[in-house]
Amino acid sequence: QRDALESMHKAGHVTGVTSAYWELIDSMGDDAPSKDQISVWMRERPEVQKSRMAKRVEGKANSGGPIVPSSVVMSYIAADTLFIPAAFHTDKKVYKAAILYVCALTKYVFVLPCNLQNKDRPMSTTAQKGFEEFISRIRRAANDYDLHPLKIRTDNGSEFVGGACKAWLNSRRVDHPGFYEHTTTTGSRSAGNPFAERAIQSWRRMLYATYRAVERQWDEQAVPRRQRRFNWVPYCDIITQQYNERRHSTIRAKPADAVVGTDPTYVETR
């Protein structure tokens, strides 16, 4: 079994526990190692783990590796689309998704609900309006209307790489050379857009906490099940404001204060 695993590793076929397991099942039958045995074998070999790590791919469109934003507001902004749980859908299930925008340096976010039944397909105009509103909010908060994003990171969703949004990004690059550099993630890997993915996780938890609070009110008021409809859209801006006004553990300050440039004098660093 170990000889078979070593042979697979030398041939470059060990991409994961499950794929290795089924390949060995095909070649060895009942004599193939179990998934637990393959997992133990892989943990004993750092070179196997290293070969599975994300590697930098040359080129703007598929750049990978660690991302460290410059110490300038909007030096790096990320955007991604998130879908809302079915229990939250209202208005005949119109608003099923939202687009989140985040400044990688300050962690300041903006979330825009998406109406999936409008004529804007594939939501490229919605994505463009979201970028414009996000940039406008940061400019107002920082009191600097000459701010422009240096780099913009999204996935390959059609709302970002096609239609009105793509045309808008191209025109902004022409009008402001050196700014609005748009890169996309590699394939469908969420690790390629970590700032947006992490912000989405936190924002979703806050949305769920809001839903639970409303659900408790329903229970206290004995609202019939058929009448329980949670419209998340009116809470969107409220949750976003709460996110921006809460102390962020990474920057150890509130995102809203980080945009303004307030001196973060925290007790734990004194």
Side-chain angles (χ1 to χ4, degrees), residues 72-103:
V72 180
V73 176
M74 281 205 301
S75 61
Y76 188 108
I77 66 176
D80 199 3
T81 302
L82 63 115
F83 290 90
I84 307 301
F88 297 171
H89 300 168
T90 57
D91 300 333
K92 296 182 180 180
K93 298 186 177 181
V94 172
Y95 289 95
K96 296 182 182 179
I99 301 177
L100 181 141
Y101 306 84
V102 59
C103 172

Side-chain angles (χ1 to χ4, degrees), residues 10 42 52 65 74-75 81 86 90 93 105 112 135 161 168 171 207 210 221 225 230 247 250 255 262:
K10 291 179 181 179
M42 292 178 67
R52 298 175 65 206
M74 281 205 301
S75 61
T81 302
T90 57
K93 298 186 177 181
L105 178 69
L112 179 67
I135 293 171
V161 300
W168 177 78
S171 66
L207 175 63
T210 302
Q221 298 170 6
R225 292 285 178 182
F230 178 66
R247 180 181 178 280
T250 300
T262 305

Side-chain angles (χ1 to χ4, degrees), residues 104-220:
L105 178 69
T106 63
K107 312 304 179 186
Y108 189 91
V109 305
F110 168 64
V111 179
L112 179 67
C114 298
N115 185 338
L116 300 185
Q117 291 187 355
N118 62 16
K119 295 181 180 180
D120 174 30
R121 291 302 180 93
M123 297 198 303
S124 58
T125 303
T126 303
Q128 173 195 337
K129 291 180 179 178
F131 275 117
E132 292 175 333
E133 178 62 22
F134 176 65
I135 293 171
S136 176
R137 290 190 179 202
I138 287 188
R139 286 173 175 171
R140 291 196 302 268
N143 196 25
D144 185 351
Y145 293 88
D146 293 325
L147 281 174
H148 295 281
L150 292 172
K151 299 178 183 294
I152 296 175
R153 184 78 163 180
T154 68
D155 59 19
N156 288 291
S158 54
E159 66 270 30
F160 300 119
V161 300
C165 187
K166 180 180 180 180
W168 177 78
L169 288 171
N170 290 338
S171 66
R172 299 303 286 174
R173 276 197 299 274
V174 172
D175 296 339
H176 303 279
F179 296 91
Y180 296 91
E181 178 188 325
H182 182 207
T183 61
T184 57
T185 58
T186 303
S188 60
R189 296 181 56 189
S190 61
N193 199 4
F195 297 107
E197 293 291 344
R198 185 64 183 87
I200 284 175
Q201 292 176 10
S202 299
W203 195 89
R204 269 182 173 154
R205 283 197 295 269
M206 295 178 69
L207 175 63
Y208 183 68
T210 302
Y211 171 74
R212 294 292 295 173
V214 173
E215 191 176 42
R216 284 194 295 271
Q217 293 179 1
W218 290 336
D219 292 338
E220 292 172 358

Side-chain angles (χ1 to χ4, degrees), residues 245-262:
E245 292 292 338
R246 290 175 61 179
R247 180 181 178 280
H248 199 286
S249 60
T250 300
I251 61 176
R252 298 186 180 181
K254 299 176 182 178
D257 290 344
V259 170
V260 174
T262 305

Side-chain angles (χ1 to χ4, degrees), residues 18 25 38 44 58 60 64 101 151 181 186 189 191 199 211 214 237 241 248 259 263 265:
T18 302
I25 283 288
I38 296 173
E44 294 174 350
E58 296 300 330
K60 292 182 179 180
Y101 306 84
K151 299 178 183 294
E181 178 188 325
T186 303
R189 296 181 56 189
Y211 171 74
V214 173
D237 264 347
Q241 183 178 0
H248 199 286
V259 170
D263 183 17
T265 53

